[in-house]
Amino acid sequence: MTPQCHRPGAVFDPKDLRRHILRMAFHGQSVHVACAFSLVEICSVLYSQFLRFDPMNAVSPDRDFLILSKGHGVMALYACFREIGWLTDSDLDAYFRNGTHLRGLCEADVPGCEVTSGSLGHGLPIATGIAFGLRRLGIDRRVYCIVGDGEMNEGPMWESLLFAAHQKLANLTVIVDANRYQAMGRTEEVLGLEPLPAKFEAFGFATKECDGHDPKALARCLSDLLANGSRPGALVARTTKGHGVSFMEDDNRWHYTRLTEHDYSRALKELS
Amino acid sequence: MRDMLSQLLVEAAAADDRFIVLSGDHGYALFDGLRAGYGSQFVNVGVAEQNMIGVAAGLAKVGFRPCVYGLAAFVPIRVLEQIKLDLCHAKAPVILLGDGAGLVYSTLGVSHQCGEDVACLRPLPAIAIYSPCDKFELQACWAEARRADHPSYIRIGKADRPTVHDAAIADTEPQWTNRRDAHNHERLIVAAGSMTSISTAIARTHGVPCLSVPRIKPLPPSLMAAVQSHRQTIVVEEHARAGGLFSALAEELASAESLSGRPHLAHLGLSGQFTSTAGSHEHALSEHGLDDAAVNRSLTAWITARPGQMS
Ligand SMILES: Cc1ncc(C[n+]2csc(CCOP(=O)(O)OP(=O)(O)O)c2C)c(N)n1
């Protein structure tokens, strides 16, 4: 399935997306840089090869849904919106300025963001409801939901997995940004989650696992999951928090650290 | 205020090995001291707030004194039912810390802002609610919550506002922040939490008395007395009007006798306590004075009362 409509020139190059993210994070002095970096390739592949959307209208009635359940990764979405044209450079530069609309977490009133998911454990249940509703309506629109591995601590996530599998929501694909970190430490140290693919399988999901920064592998797994007949799909994307800038990679301080001018230019240099 | 909170956690851990802090995977530097000195008394339970409250209730049941930390948007909002049943109904001596209450997380958006926490908790039986304005009030609220044999909620708002009080305070009763130099006793400013320092400063400018209210539930009788001895009162709080301190006072005032000797607005409803016995709906209502016979008695008395006869 390829996007039906696409902005000419929007390539969703991960380097460009990361530069947009840095630009916002620096101008807005926001946190969560590493949280956004780890899902850049996932978003890039989804927008360039899977999601059907209208570049002229972020809420077109026949679009596919991308639900970012780990809402604190929202800068990765904003970066894609900038590529599509739903946001401009000046929106990025004005990040967090008084009276502007882009918040530090995903909020439903921003066209393209779909849901309010800054509180973890909300996005997947909503995505599941959308998939259930679309199926009941007999409408061929797909739902992709990106969740954090730390977010999988939340009870409602597992309640939705049960529901999605029980209802055989084959129009739903869950993608775990499995970067092995959450807010205060390693996911395995805070609350062990593995073997995650086996858990999805046991819950009734068609499950794949790949390098979450390898666009080809991501695309292949997502296609395979779509080809799967009657079960919802889960892709455990093995990622690195902060991927793309050497001094941020796998360093959880970049969950909550703000960019200095020095770090900003160092990071940009790596992405040019 | 944050340094004080850190210090209180460390002191409690040192003094009491049954004291244990649970966090839902946030808090960072707040717990540095605790983790360094008393690492085993800190547990990051993961991003799983509902489970966290249940775990705290279980720990309390076997003798621990848990303190549960979360952003106010999550503790208490996300876990309200767990608080009602696991903590309040069980009268579990658990301290809930709701951080970043109000609009502290302005840039993070609605999911992290919280102007309804006090409103959600006030109707629940057994829980005390505090909204300290500075480190001294926090200290007093904390001490009272630590002694309590029931759950407590401490609302932590914007923590870097100027300190209001000069020194430690003895208890959680309403505190005058500007009376010595106040000359206008027509009007009274009542402030809670983050709004107290600015309210006090403005009160000083105009010579108006200002009362800070660290404990919102149970509502201190002396607060009502102060309100009734002024002609006009304004309540300033970083909380929605419905259910906050204003609402608590308005409810008390409505119940108190008005000039005519009868309250303008009276209430006949549930008692604010859990129903304690089984039986029919009518029986359950009777525990609250709402069975048909009781409603008949109360309404008849209300309808036929002469001014001054009934409150
Ligand atoms: C309900 C809720 N509790 C706590 C938080 C605070 N918080 C923000 S991000 C985060 C860690 C999430 O971990 P993960 O999903 O793995 O995200 P990543 O490490 O990829 O950024 C936490 C606990 C929140 N946003 N929502």
Side-chain angles (χ1 to χ4, degrees):
Chain A
M1 192 179 300
T2 48
Q4 287 173 334
C5 30
H6 201 273
R7 183 198 196 200
V11 287
F12 303 98
D13 179 338
K15 276 193 172 165
D16 293 338
L17 297 177
R18 288 197 172 84
R19 274 203 306 271
H20 297 326
I21 291 168
L22 285 174
R23 183 171 182 163
M24 303 192 81
F26 177 68
H27 284 101
Q29 282 297 291
S30 81
V31 296
H32 297 147
V33 179
C35 317
F37 274 10
S38 81
L39 44 83
V40 160
E41 280 78 12
I42 297 170
C43 289
S44 164
V45 166
L46 284 172
Y47 274 105
S48 59
Q49 300 178 52
F50 290 88
L51 288 165
R52 294 166 295 185
F53 60 91
D54 178 353
M56 305 307 289
N57 177 12
V59 293
S60 76
D62 50 3
R63 71 191 184 281
D64 287 334
F65 287 96
L66 173 57
I67 307 295
L68 180 65
S69 197
K70 54 164 273 194
H72 60 288
V74 72
M75 286 190 292
L77 284 195
Y78 295 149
C80 293
F81 298 173
R82 154 67 182 75
E83 286 291 286
I84 297 165
W86 295 338
L87 293 177
T88 64
D89 281 340
S90 46
D91 291 321
L92 307 192
D93 291 343
Y95 196 37
F96 284 4
R97 233 177 258 164
N98 290 344
T100 55
H101 288 285
L102 304 182
R103 264 62 55 89
L105 300 162
C106 198
E107 297 220 1
D109 60 358
V110 175
C113 279
E114 309 286 1
V115 301
T116 297
S117 55
S119 177
L120 296 167
H122 285 257
L124 182 58
I126 301 172
T128 304
I130 294 171
F132 185 50
L134 292 173
R135 220 260 317 272
R136 286 174 77 100
L137 293 168
I139 294 175
D140 170 36
R141 294 166 65 189
R142 296 203 55 87
V143 185
Y144 299 86
C145 183
I146 302 173
V147 308
D149 50 0
E151 188 185 17
M152 291 306 293
N153 293 174
E154 287 283 6
M157 304 298 277
W158 299 93
E159 296 173 25
S160 348
L161 296 186
L162 285 173
F163 181 83
H166 183 78
Q167 296 292 344
K168 300 194 171 57
L169 300 180
N171 55 350
L172 173 70
T173 305
V174 179
I175 304 162
V176 187
D177 173 10
N179 57 29
R180 302 190 303 131
Y181 262 123
Q182 50 194 86
M184 287 181 76
R186 281 273 177 220
T187 301
E188 281 313 292
E189 284 162 16
V190 175
L191 202 57
L193 201 56
E194 299 294 344
L196 193 50
K199 283 183 174 142
F200 274 107
E201 274 293 340
F203 269 65
F205 277 63
T207 307
K208 292 276 172 188
E209 185 177 4
C210 73
D211 173 352
H213 299 300
D214 177 347
K216 286 206 180 75
L218 284 166
R220 202 167 45 241
C221 288
L222 287 169
S223 301
D224 287 351
L225 289 174
L226 294 188
N228 151 77
S230 60
R231 290 188 294 168
L235 172 56
V236 177
R238 300 293 180 186
T239 52
T240 303
K241 213 160 162 173
H243 182 90
V245 169
S246 60
F247 64 87
M248 293 182 177
E249 282 186 10
D250 214 32
D251 180 348
N252 212 30
R253 276 177 302 183
W254 290 99
H255 185 108
Y256 49 81
T257 303
R258 294 178 169 80
L259 281 165
T260 61
E261 189 135 25
H262 175 64
D263 287 336
Y264 180 45
S265 60
R266 269 208 300 164
L268 276 183
K269 207 167 289 168
E270 287 193 26
L271 292 169
S272 56
Chain B
M1 187 141 83
R2 293 192 83 72
D3 289 347
M4 174 63 83
L5 185 54
S6 264
Q7 183 191 323
L8 291 169
L9 296 176
V10 173
E11 285 171 7
D16 179 1
D17 56 15
R18 298 166 314 150
F19 177 76
I20 183 165
V21 176
L22 308 181
S23 164
D25 197 32
H26 50 288
Y28 302 112
L30 185 63
F31 304 122
D32 283 352
L34 180 68
R35 293 169 84 184
Y38 304 89
S40 68
Q41 282 164 269
F42 172 84
V43 183
N44 179 357
V45 301
V47 202
E49 295 80 7
Q50 288 151 266
N51 179 55
M52 175 163 66
I53 302 294
V55 167
L59 284 167
K61 207 166 168 60
V62 294
F64 286 90
R65 301 294 304 234
C67 169
V68 176
Y69 173 89
L71 299 194
F74 313 137
V75 176
I77 300 300
R78 191 190 187 99
V79 294
L80 193 57
E81 192 200 16
Q82 276 79 11
I83 293 174
K84 170 185 162 186
L85 298 175
D86 310 352
L87 301 187
C88 293
H89 192 232
K91 285 213 173 65
V94 172
I95 299 177
L96 306 173
L97 290 174
D99 202 0
L103 308 184
V104 173
Y105 290 103
S106 53
T107 54
L108 293 187
V110 173
S111 66
H112 280 54
Q113 295 165 15
C114 178
E116 60 283 326
D117 47 336
V118 174
C120 289
L121 293 176
R122 272 189 52 235
L124 298 181
I127 192 165
I129 303 174
Y130 301 95
S131 179
C133 73
D134 69 2
K135 61 179 179 180
F136 296 118
E137 288 194 3
L138 173 63
Q139 203 172 20
C141 296
W142 177 261
E144 192 168 290
R146 285 280 294 145
R147 284 194 302 272
D149 57 0
H150 53 73
S152 308
Y153 171 64
I154 304 181
R155 173 177 224 246
I156 313 280
K158 187 84 176 127
D160 55 2
R161 295 275 161 128
T163 302
V164 173
H165 302 288
D166 305 329
I169 53 176
D171 53 37
T172 64
E173 289 299 300
Q175 312 283 328
W176 292 106
T177 62
N178 176 47
R179 187 153 77 164
R180 262 159 292 149
D181 43 341
H183 50 75
N184 180 346
H185 292 284
E186 286 276 294
R187 297 199 167 95
L188 170 67
I189 298 175
V190 168
S194 63
M195 288 293 141
T196 309
S197 59
I198 178 70
S199 300
T200 300
I202 293 166
R204 288 215 174 103
T205 311
H206 295 280
V208 170
C210 181
L211 254 188
S212 173
V213 183
R215 190 182 76 234
I216 293 180
K217 189 188 170 196
L219 197 70
S222 63
L223 175 60
M224 267 300 289
V227 168
Q228 284 173 315
S229 67
H230 289 80
R231 276 173 60 88
Q232 289 185 308
T233 297
I234 189 163
V235 177
V236 193
E237 57 185 331
E238 194 171 330
H239 188 281
R241 176 178 132 121
L245 178 58
F246 168 83
S247 167
L249 262 175
E251 289 161 21
E252 287 300 314
L253 272 180
S255 305
E257 288 201 346
S258 65
L259 285 178
S260 69
R262 295 186 59 181
H264 193 70
L265 187 63
H267 178 245
L268 195 54
L270 295 181
S271 71
Q273 298 304 315
F274 290 116
T275 306
S276 62
T277 60
S280 64
H281 178 230
E282 188 71 3
H283 169 78
L285 288 173
S286 75
E287 278 200 20
H288 298 263
L290 275 187
D291 55 300
D292 287 354
V295 171
N296 180 15
R297 269 195 312 278
S298 300
L299 280 185
T300 305
W302 183 84
I303 291 163
T304 56
R306 288 189 309 280
Q309 244 186 352
M310 186 186 161
S311 65

